[in-house]
Amino acid sequence: MTSSKPQFVEERGQKVKLNNLCSRGKSSLRQKDVSNDGPYAVYGASGLVGTMASFQNAVPYVAVVKDGAGVGRASACEANTSVLGTMQALIPSEGIDRDYLLHLVRSLHLGDGFSGSTIPHIYFKDYGKLPVRLHSPAEQKRIVDIFASIERQIKVSKQQLDQLDFLVKSRFVEMFGDLKSDTNGWPIKPFETFAIIDTHMANDLTPYLDMPHIGIDSIESGTGRLSGYRTVAEDGIISGKYPFTPEHLIYSKIRPSLNKVALPDFSGVCSSDAYPILPIAGECNRVYLAEVMRSAYFLEYILPLSGRAQMPKVNKKALSGFSMPLPPIELQQQFAAFVAQVDKSRFGGMLRLLNSLSGIMHASFFSVADTD
């Protein structure tokens, strides 16, 4: 079933409601229903979760995370696939390009402003409240092509960053060896001797309104790169958050297998789904600690302690029970200096520029704040 064919307006596009451009697809599967006995892909919030012998949606569509920490995140799904019940399948109406719908949905930041009684949640009825701009099919294609070009450039920049990340990891092993076997014989120190879980919550966010608000979705898995964040005021934050500084690292305590450890070079506040961690000066360098916490050594310790199969989570007790080999601080600082030199060679500036350009283009094409 699809909505009636929309009426198109050339140039800047007609203002309509989002639910005029799509209908609700099927998304009733649970993870335990995924039988892995067929060729048809099933997707969840984290990507491909398995296969089935049948499928729920026969046409290309947009899947939006409707529950939990990633609420509002949108991705493109191909025909003859299915999504879990934690996702909302949006079927494009006649005359609506699937990738155009994808970029339109992403421009709306759907995770902002919707919440259930316990966890964030978006209902399909919410789409009827959202004004958007509808462009002609020719303009839709032009917009999709522009974003495709930006995304290709972002992919190349990320590949270059990945090569530098590999260089850093190789240097870490060269300097510190295998942490598990501790071949260098460095003392194994408990967490409390080298870092503090600095969770003093700021309930009055007035001093932080113009500072960045880091949600865990802004932290890239594995690398810790930060992107897509906004200020406290822009996000309309009203609940308490954890302040951090450039001396902290930020560790996502939700789904620890995603391995999200960030090193901000600015001050701000982070989601209560993360821990700001402050290394103890003279004992532990935060660059060394971040690399350890991104390693298999740390994951092997923390994953069995995260529990809660539906939403694995690390508590303070588990994190504070971690111990690690602690090399001399001078050696840690040498590693940090090497990382700083690598950072000078990074294409991160280009990546940030491209991500910023993507955001500007979203606002340019889809904003309804202006008057006709």
Side-chain angles (χ1 to χ4, degrees), residues 239-259:
S239 59
K241 302 296 176 187
Y242 296 137
F244 64 84
T245 70
E247 284 71 50
H248 289 79
L249 61 84
I250 302 174
Y251 173 67
S252 171
K253 64 185 180 183
I254 304 296
R255 292 193 176 96
S257 62
L258 295 179
N259 200 13

Side-chain angles (χ1 to χ4, degrees), residues 178-206:
D178 177 39
L179 295 179
K180 187 173 182 178
S181 60
D182 191 22
T183 53
N184 293 292
W186 287 311
I188 307 296
K189 294 293 188 74
F191 192 90
E192 63 184 12
T193 66
F194 58 77
I196 299 166
I197 305 174
D198 194 11
T199 51
H200 66 284
M201 182 166 285
N203 292 306
D204 178 10
L205 296 176
T206 304

Side-chain angles (χ1 to χ4, degrees), residues 31 42-50 63-65 67 70 73 75 83-84 86-87 217 221 255 257-258 260 310:
Q31 182 66 61
V42 181
Y43 296 96
S46 59
L48 181 68
V49 296
V64 183
V65 180
D67 291 304
R73 188 170 63 243
S75 56
V83 290
L84 297 180
T86 55
M87 309 288 284
D217 284 344
S221 178
R255 292 193 176 96
S257 62
L258 295 179
K260 295 188 173 188
Q310 293 300 316

Side-chain angles (χ1 to χ4, degrees), residues 120 141 143 187:
K141 183 179 184 307
I143 291 171

Side-chain angles (χ1 to χ4, degrees), residues 11 30 50 78 83 97 107 138 142 148 150 178 191 209 227-228 264 271 285 294-295 298 300 310 337 359:
E11 298 176 352
R30 296 169 295 179
E78 301 307 319
V83 290
D97 183 284
S107 76
R142 187 180 77 87
I150 294 173
D178 177 39
F191 192 90
L209 289 177
S227 64
S271 163
N285 181 283
R294 294 181 189 133
S295 71
F298 177 74
E300 184 176 324
Q310 293 300 316

Side-chain angles (χ1 to χ4, degrees), residues 288-353:
Y288 172 79
L289 179 56
E291 198 63 31
V292 172
M293 293 182 68
R294 294 181 189 133
S295 71
Y297 176 76
F298 177 74
L299 289 176
E300 184 176 324
Y301 164 79
I302 205 68
L303 292 182
L305 302 178
S306 58
R308 299 177 61 183
Q310 293 300 316
M311 182 67 75
K313 182 178 179 180
V314 175
N315 60 37
K316 284 186 180 181
K317 182 179 179 180
L319 183 55
S320 61
F322 176 63
S323 298
M324 70 178 186
L326 201 63
I329 188 64
E330 295 79 12
L331 197 60
Q332 297 179 46
Q333 290 170 342
Q334 287 178 28
F335 174 70
F338 173 80
V339 173
Q341 287 298 316
V342 171
D343 283 343
K344 291 181 180 179
S345 302
R346 287 182 183 273
F347 289 79
M350 176 60 72
L351 185 59
R352 286 192 295 271
L353 177 62

